[in-house]
Amino acid sequence: MTAELIAEGRAALRGGDALAARAVLERAEPSPEVLEVLASASFVLLEYDRSLHEMESAYAGYRGAGDSAGAARVARMLGGMHGSTSGDWAVASGWIARAKTLLGDGSDTNEAGWVALTEGMFEADRTRKNTDFQRAVEIGRRTDDPDLAFAAVAYLGASLVHDDRTEEGMLLLDEACAAVAGSEVDSFMVVEEIFCQLFSACEHAHDVRRADQWIRLGERVAEQRRLPAVSAYCHTHYGGILTAAGRWPEADAALTAAVRLWALGRRTLQAGALARLADLRMKQGRYDEAAALLDGLTDNDSVQPRAALHLARGEYAVAVDLLEHAVRRADPRTSACLPLLALLVDAQLATGKDPQPMIEAMATCADEHPSPYANALVALARGRAGDGDPKRWLREALDGFNQSQLPLEASLCRLDLARACSQDNPEVAVAEARNALRSFEMLQAAQYVDAATAVLRQLGQKVRPPAPSGNPLSRREEDVLRLLGEGLSNPEISERLFISRKTVEHHVGNILVKLGLRNRAEAAAYAVRREPAPK
């Protein structure tokens, strides 16, 4: 009976139904194997402390029964759990070492492959990491363990992408995802790991198109196999991709979920999730909220959103200092340095510094790691710096951002192009500014809506108020609208509601977009009109 219940519980867990697995196994006689599966169910349910306790009890049970293979398997899983939840690398390393010792001569078993995969996850040296993953792939294939083989293929692929061997790495990730689509991967948890590595690699490479293709296919597979939706996997990297793709409401939900996971115990998500959510808030113009999210993070964890916040606040010298320090610490030969250099060029232009050395460093890096995104960043920097014909560079940048499916970057580029064309080709300038305005309105990027509107007015154009977004006002926006109707200024609203002036500006911008109004005077009139008449 116990064996049958364990089989039934494992089957439920493979399908992602951890509650059903737990319900089945709680009817079984206690044993190390029952505790092991219960621990996996608890982990899927985000009950990390309970999961660790159950897994440690399973380990003690296997050791007491003299089952070294079972103890090694559980020790390996404990290493992975400690590494991915508490972030206690010494504890994780200790459990992995224990698993290797217990395996002894069983170095060619599939469990040895799982140990190699787990070691690679937490190995800092890229060469040793890739060697561990490659060994896991080979053992998985030799022992006919497709879950191991394809999990290791995905991890190896993502590692290669992060090492700027992008084509080689993406090919492996495509193979692992195809195996999921072909029902070669059995475990729900391995499916999750494969998609998580895909999202991580696509975010690093700014490959929104590839991520979108696999997300659509993955959702169909999840529905067919009754697995949790792919969008539930790896919220942090998924949220980063959605932000880049301009799907901000979805990004908000994914990143908020990632922060919640960290609060439940997954500390390794803390810096990444908070920094990405702060980046989203910056793009939305919600600067005070971004600052609150960045509070407590180190500069190393959050250089780009922190520098963007300084630039938005007009603290240009602080932004330059932060970015110059970050660039000195980074490897200028890697593609990961390009966004830092691009932001540093913007900061140097704001302070009047010569950006040409940084632009040349960007060009060298883009030549070594060519991609539409990398080429667009260099072209945009040259266009903004007035290097030769800015219109030529800006059009090249626009092509690259469009090819990379990055709507915010493309629209900002259009706005720069409108400014560059304003003197000698005003008709083109108007067309580009209007295209940018439409995109900003769709993104609900209020501060950029204002910037595009200002450019159009400078070009002598009348700008109709935007169509209402259809989104309801938040409670705080309702408060701000009511006070606008009373004729209060931003500083007065700030004092009345105990919020900063920047936050008031953000709320006013949101109100205008949501209600399709052009300015605060129209918002005040709207508020007065909708107030009920006194009895």
Side-chain angles (χ1 to χ4, degrees):
M1 176 63 76
T2 296
E4 292 174 3
L5 291 172
I6 289 172
E8 187 179 345
R10 287 189 183 280
L13 194 57
R14 282 196 298 272
D17 194 344
L19 283 173
R22 175 183 285 174
V24 168
L25 290 165
E26 286 176 343
R27 291 159 31 208
E29 289 292 327
S31 71
E33 193 171 3
V34 168
L35 286 166
E36 179 185 345
V37 184
L38 278 172
S40 296
S42 297
F43 191 83
V44 172
L45 293 168
L46 314 180
E47 299 174 14
Y48 300 122
D49 289 341
R50 175 172 175 171
S51 178
L52 288 169
H53 175 72
E54 289 167 338
M55 199 66 84
E56 288 164 357
S57 298
Y59 174 81
Y62 282 127
R63 289 293 289 147
D67 185 347
S68 295
R73 181 177 61 252
V74 169
R76 180 260 303 172
M77 287 192 285
L78 279 165
M81 289 163 66
H82 276 286
S84 64
T85 58
S86 66
D88 293 334
W89 310 121
V91 178
S93 178
W95 278 113
I96 294 169
R98 194 76 195 102
K100 293 173 71 174
T101 300
L102 288 166
L103 279 175
D105 294 333
S107 56
D108 288 330
T109 64
N110 72 326
E111 187 54 42
W114 285 107
V115 170
L117 175 61
T118 307
E119 278 193 292
M121 293 177 192
F122 306 116
E123 174 58 62
D125 180 80
R126 183 69 64 185
T127 301
R128 289 197 293 269
K129 176 188 286 289
N130 291 347
T131 298
D132 287 334
F133 291 152
Q134 187 60 57
R135 180 164 178 258
V137 171
E138 292 168 358
I139 293 174
R141 289 171 175 167
R142 189 166 59 247
T143 60
D144 195 24
D145 185 343
D147 281 3
L148 168 61
F150 290 118
V153 164
Y155 271 97
L156 178 59
S159 180
L160 292 174
V161 171
H162 283 271
D163 198 30
D164 286 327
R165 295 162 63 180
T166 304
E167 289 187 21
E168 185 182 354
M170 287 301 189
L171 186 61
L172 292 175
L173 284 158
D174 288 344
E175 180 185 356
C177 290
V180 171
S183 299
E184 295 181 74
V185 177
D186 189 40
S187 168
F188 146 70
M189 297 178 76
V190 173
V191 172
E192 178 181 14
E193 289 298 318
I194 288 172
F195 274 100
C196 192
Q197 294 310 304
L198 172 75
F199 296 156
S200 170
C202 288
E203 184 186 27
H204 177 84
H206 297 86
D207 196 342
V208 173
R209 181 171 300 177
R210 175 179 263 103
D212 186 58
Q213 290 176 13
W214 281 118
I215 287 168
R216 283 187 277 111
L217 186 141
E219 294 290 12
R220 290 201 300 271
V221 171
E223 184 177 357
Q224 290 165 2
R225 293 178 56 184
R226 297 184 180 179
L227 297 176
V230 170
S231 57
Y233 301 157
C234 207
H235 297 284
T236 299
H237 296 300
Y238 186 63
I241 291 169
L242 292 172
T243 298
R247 293 160 59 180
W248 291 354
E250 296 169 80
D252 202 326
L255 293 170
T256 300
V259 172
R260 180 178 63 85
L261 283 175
W262 161 71
L264 290 171
R266 299 193 75 164
R267 297 178 194 168
T268 52
L269 292 178
Q270 177 191 18
L274 291 175
R276 285 167 177 80
L277 190 53
D279 177 61
L280 175 59
R281 294 289 180 260
M282 287 300 305
K283 288 177 168 60
Q284 293 169 322
R286 296 159 65 174
Y287 301 141
D288 281 8
E289 292 177 54
L293 289 164
L294 293 169
D295 188 33
L297 296 185
T298 67
D299 287 348
N300 292 341
D301 292 329
S302 56
V303 171
Q304 287 175 240
R306 195 179 295 277
L309 181 62
H310 288 308
L311 287 174
R313 289 174 166 174
E315 300 162 352
Y316 305 131
V318 179
V320 168
D321 181 71
L322 175 64
L323 289 163
E324 285 179 343
H325 178 68
V327 167
R328 283 194 297 270
R329 295 182 73 255
D331 185 347
R333 298 168 298 178
T334 65
S335 64
C337 198
L338 268 172
L340 287 175
L341 290 167
L343 201 54
L344 178 54
V345 167
D346 288 342
Q348 288 176 330
L349 288 170
T351 57
K353 278 192 170 185
D354 179 15
Q356 286 305 320
M358 293 301 102
I359 293 175
E360 293 310 314
M362 290 178 68
T364 300
C365 185
D367 286 342
E368 292 183 14
H369 310 293
S371 71
Y373 173 73
N375 296 337
L377 283 181
V378 176
L380 179 64
R382 292 194 188 282
R384 286 178 172 174
D387 189 354
D389 178 9
K391 294 187 288 297
R392 171 206 158 195
W393 290 117
L394 292 170
R395 290 199 179 281
E396 186 175 322
L398 180 59
D399 289 342
F401 288 135
N402 281 332
Q403 190 175 346
S404 302
Q405 295 187 355
L406 301 173
L408 177 64
E409 287 79 358
S411 300
L412 289 170
C413 193
R414 285 190 185 279
L415 201 56
D416 285 332
L417 187 57
R419 295 185 181 105
C421 293
S422 60
Q423 295 298 319
D424 59 352
N425 206 335
E427 289 185 10
V428 171
V430 169
E432 295 295 351
R434 288 201 180 278
N435 282 333
L437 177 60
R438 280 193 293 271
S439 179
F440 294 143
E441 288 175 345
M442 289 178 62
L443 291 169
Q444 296 185 26
Q447 77 276 30
Y448 298 128
V449 168
D450 292 343
T453 298
V455 170
L456 284 165
R457 286 176 177 158
Q458 288 168 4
L459 290 165
Q461 300 295 302
K462 291 183 178 180
V463 183
R464 291 184 301 174
S469 70
N471 293 328
L473 298 183
S474 68
R475 182 182 300 176
R476 182 59 83 189
E477 288 163 354
E478 290 280 3
D479 293 338
V480 171
L481 179 61
R482 175 176 51 81
L483 295 176
L484 285 173
E486 295 177 11
L488 271 63
S489 66
N490 281 6
E492 290 169 332
I493 294 173
S494 171
E495 291 179 10
R496 181 78 65 88
L497 298 179
F498 302 101
I499 57 178
S500 74
R501 296 183 184 185
K502 284 283 187 182
T503 300
V504 175
E505 292 173 9
H506 160 68
H507 288 316
V508 171
N510 274 355
I511 289 167
L512 298 182
V513 169
K514 289 181 177 182
L515 299 180
L517 304 173
R518 286 176 294 189
N519 50 50
R520 62 186 297 119
E522 288 189 2
Y526 177 92
V528 170
R529 285 198 306 272
R530 75 171 193 167
E531 283 294 317
K535 294 182 180 179

